[in-house]
């Protein structure tokens, strides 16, 4: 495997990635050169486009055949190119080792995130909220009726230019839970759950569509808001896409006492965070059931607000809050890797048992023995080749 992505090198701690996975896969920084007819040249990777949610068999047949034929292959695109449900627990565990151990942001991002968390914690517990209310998500969802005619025009134009042409009806989208929650609705939910205006909140979001008009009600309910503007200038190597600040948002949300995603549809940020928090000790996560909440908020839009707080509480207190639960379709493996990625203290199956405390020493010994065997085999091959050349 070769580290190829520029974003990978810019955002992540590559040496840590390689070191963490060295017992699973050999990773190189560049494709080796090959010698043919006395000339040395760089091996060119053959490009393959994996099908979406491809089964493991595709990689063990089609991809492997191309690898053997060309010596190197380049898989692109690579997002969602392996089926989530795999009947191989060890491959699923490898996914967790990659996502939750090997992938680590660069030291400056980790340090900045830690500084923010420490500052927030110095004043007590805090909640983080991923507020997904940006132009692209709203246009994708097709929930535009709450906006002004001018704003609707902008959303429709963006949708036409970037997404498939579909006729989307606001009420129907709302009732099936496809509309992102507004900032005010998020505030009403957490207030109904018992949080008051002293609650300290870290807000992870991009540029909110509609601006201050939508944030004003939320700020009135919860004035103690913070965001990545706490970072200050000069602490991060800025990039055009704001990825470094998004990485800080991710880490602060991961380490917060409570995390609340407001739209977990096609949002890798929210889905990965929910899975990450569950993996690291079932940390409290409040996941609004937008479909169950929709009738409540639609009644409020039409002036029928009586008893709304009790109705919201009944919906919200019927969730998992990050506790272990069986994954049921369409819930994603990346959102909930239980039970595959969790060892058992008293397991009937050896593969499910928790590793020994000295697992790194055991792996290192096995790894070293494997390298010694490979080195000896290489030496024998070289010796044989020399003898044949001499003859």
């Amino acid at each position: 495997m070769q580290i190829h992505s520029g974003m990978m090198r810019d955002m992540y701690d590559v040496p840590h990635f390689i070191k963490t996975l060295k017992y699973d896969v050999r990773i190189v920084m560049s494709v080796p050169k090959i010698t043919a007819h006395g000339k040395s040249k760089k091996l060119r990777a053959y490009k393959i486009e994996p099908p979406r949610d491809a089964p493991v068999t595709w990689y063990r047949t089609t991809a492997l055949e191309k690898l053997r034929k060309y010596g190197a292959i380049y898989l692109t695109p690579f997002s969602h190119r392996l089926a989530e449900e795999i009947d191989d627990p060890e491959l699923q565990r490898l996914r967790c080792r990659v996502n939750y151990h090997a992938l680590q942001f660069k030291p400056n991002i980790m340090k900045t995130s830690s500084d923010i968390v420490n500052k927030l914690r110095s004043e007590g517990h805090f909640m983080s909220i991923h507020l997904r209310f940006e132009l692209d998500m709203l246009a994708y969802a097709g929930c535009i009726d709450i906006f002004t005619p001018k704003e609707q025009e902008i959303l429709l134009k963006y949708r036409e230019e970037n997404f498939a042409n579909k006729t989307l009806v606001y009420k129907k989208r709302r009732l099936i839970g496809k509309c992102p929650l507004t900032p005010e609705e998020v505030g009403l939910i957490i207030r109904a759950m018992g949080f008051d205006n002293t609650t300290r909140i870290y807000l992870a979001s991009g540029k909110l569509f509609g601006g201050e008009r939508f944030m004003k009600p939320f700020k009135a309910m919860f004035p103690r808001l913070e965001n990545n503007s706490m970072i200050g200038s000069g602490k991060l190597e800025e990039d055009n896409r704001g990825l470094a600040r998004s990485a800080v948002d991710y880490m602060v949300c991961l380490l917060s006492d409570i995390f609340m995603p407001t739209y977990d549809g096609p949002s890798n940020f929210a889905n990965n965070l929910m899975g990450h928090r569950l993996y690291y000790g079932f940390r409290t996560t409040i996941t609004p059931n937008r479909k169950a909440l929709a009738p409540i908020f639609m009644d409020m839009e039409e002036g029928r607000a009586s008893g709304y707080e009790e109705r919201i509480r009944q919906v919200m207190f019927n969730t998992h809050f990050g506790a272990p639960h069986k994954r049921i379709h369409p819930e994603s493996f990346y959102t909930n890797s239980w039970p595959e990625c969790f060892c058992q203290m008293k397991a009937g199956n050896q593969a499910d048992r928790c590793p020994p405390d000295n697992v790194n020493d055991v792996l290192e010994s096995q790894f070293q023995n494997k390298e010694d065997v490979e080195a000896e085999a290489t030496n024998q091959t070289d010796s044989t080749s020399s003898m044949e050349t001499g003859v």
Side-chain angles (χ1 to χ4, degrees):
M1 172 182 172
Q2 179 195 358
I3 297 291
H4 180 78
S5 170
M7 188 183 77
M8 174 76 180
R9 290 190 292 266
D10 293 341
M11 297 293 297
Y12 293 97
D13 187 339
V14 173
H16 174 81
F17 183 83
I18 295 172
K19 181 181 178 182
T20 304
L21 295 177
K22 74 174 185 177
Y23 305 119
D24 297 295
V25 60
R26 183 171 296 176
I27 302 171
V28 297
M29 296 301 292
S30 61
V31 176
K33 292 183 178 181
I34 56 173
T35 303
H37 308 296
K39 293 183 178 180
S40 190
K41 64 177 183 178
K42 187 175 181 179
L43 184 64
R44 295 191 64 182
Y46 180 81
K47 180 181 175 181
I48 305 180
E49 295 184 11
R52 186 179 175 87
D53 298 323
V56 174
T57 51
W58 184 87
Y59 290 92
R60 289 175 174 167
T61 54
T62 304
L64 185 57
E65 287 171 7
K66 297 296 184 184
L67 178 61
R68 286 172 173 163
K69 180 177 180 180
Y70 295 99
I73 56 174
Y74 172 43
L75 302 173
T76 184
F78 206 63
S79 176
H80 301 288
R81 299 298 141 174
L82 178 63
E84 288 195 19
E85 298 300 330
I86 299 174
D87 190 20
D88 186 335
E90 193 50 45
L91 280 180
Q92 296 290 60
R93 291 171 188 140
L94 176 57
R95 273 177 158 163
C96 288
R97 287 197 291 278
V98 172
N99 289 342
Y100 309 135
H101 295 277
L103 282 172
Q104 181 173 290
F105 294 118
K106 295 180 82 169
N108 66 320
I109 292 175
M110 300 295 280
K111 173 67 166 58
T112 302
S113 305
S114 179
D115 289 345
I116 290 177
V117 170
N118 290 339
K119 183 176 180 181
L120 290 167
R121 282 252 168 81
S122 68
E123 299 185 32
H125 298 296
F126 75 97
M127 173 193 295
S128 63
I129 296 176
H130 181 224
L131 191 55
R132 200 71 167 92
F133 205 70
E134 298 98 338
L135 170 63
D136 61 334
M137 183 53 65
L138 292 164
Y140 172 83
C143 304
I144 67 171
D145 288 36
I146 62 174
F147 296 97
T148 66
K150 180 62 177 178
E151 289 168 342
Q152 290 186 25
E153 186 180 321
I154 294 170
L155 288 165
L156 288 171
K157 184 174 186 296
Y158 188 93
R159 178 171 180 82
E160 183 181 331
E161 292 173 351
N162 294 278
F163 303 114
N165 184 23
K166 291 181 181 179
T167 300
L168 302 177
V169 180
Y170 170 68
K171 286 191 174 182
K172 290 182 179 179
R173 300 289 288 172
R174 180 76 137 156
L175 286 170
I176 60 174
K178 294 298 183 182
C179 291
L181 296 169
T182 69
E184 182 178 12
E185 289 165 353
V186 173
L188 291 173
I189 290 169
I190 57 179
R191 189 172 68 179
M193 294 180 71
F195 295 95
D196 60 27
N197 62 3
T198 65
T199 304
R200 198 162 175 79
I201 296 174
Y202 180 90
L203 209 57
S205 68
K207 183 179 180 181
L208 300 186
F209 189 74
E212 190 61 24
R213 174 165 58 92
F214 283 96
M215 276 304 297
K216 191 174 180 180
F218 184 89
K219 288 180 177 179
M221 287 183 273
F222 297 96
R224 299 186 70 194
L225 293 178
E226 299 286 0
N227 56 33
N228 61 30
S229 64
M230 295 174 69
I231 295 172
S233 59
K235 288 192 175 183
L236 290 176
E237 295 176 12
E238 297 296 340
D239 56 88
N240 293 332
R241 292 173 292 175
L243 294 176
R245 288 180 178 267
S246 294
V248 169
D249 280 346
Y250 184 96
M251 288 307 303
V252 175
C253 290
L254 175 64
L255 298 172
S256 62
D257 298 291
I258 299 172
F259 170 62
M260 180 178 177
T262 61
Y263 194 76
D264 56 341
S267 172
N268 289 333
F269 185 100
N271 285 330
N272 290 346
L273 260 171
M274 286 190 285
H276 207 156
R277 287 178 63 88
L278 184 138
Y279 183 81
Y280 277 111
F282 306 108
R283 294 177 175 176
T284 303
T285 299
I286 298 173
T287 311
N289 183 336
R290 294 187 306 280
K291 185 176 179 180
L293 289 166
I296 304 171
F297 291 130
M298 292 180 75
D299 281 349
M300 294 179 70
E301 286 175 4
E302 296 172 6
R304 298 189 298 273
S306 178
Y308 78 90
E309 285 198 338
E310 181 56 34
R311 293 173 68 190
I312 290 174
R313 274 194 290 274
Q314 288 178 1
V315 171
M316 293 307 301
F317 289 135
N318 192 32
T319 61
H320 299 292
F321 292 105
H325 59 279
K326 185 174 177 61
R327 187 172 65 254
I328 300 174
H329 183 78
E331 188 175 22
S332 167
F333 175 82
Y334 298 108
T335 299
N336 179 12
S337 60
W338 191 87
E340 294 96 327
C341 289
F342 294 81
C343 65
Q344 301 171 31
M345 300 299 292
K346 296 179 180 179
N349 187 343
Q350 179 67 31
D352 294 331
R353 294 180 183 175
C354 291
D357 292 337
N358 66 335
V359 62
N360 285 333
D361 296 334
V362 173
L363 290 171
E364 186 61 37
S365 175
Q366 294 173 350
F367 183 71
Q368 191 60 52
N369 290 338
K370 181 181 177 182
E371 284 200 325
D372 291 343
V373 170
E374 289 179 351
E376 184 177 343
T378 301
N379 290 337
Q380 289 179 353
T381 302
D382 291 344
S383 176
T384 302
S385 298
S386 299
M387 290 174 64
E388 289 175 350
T389 302
V391 172

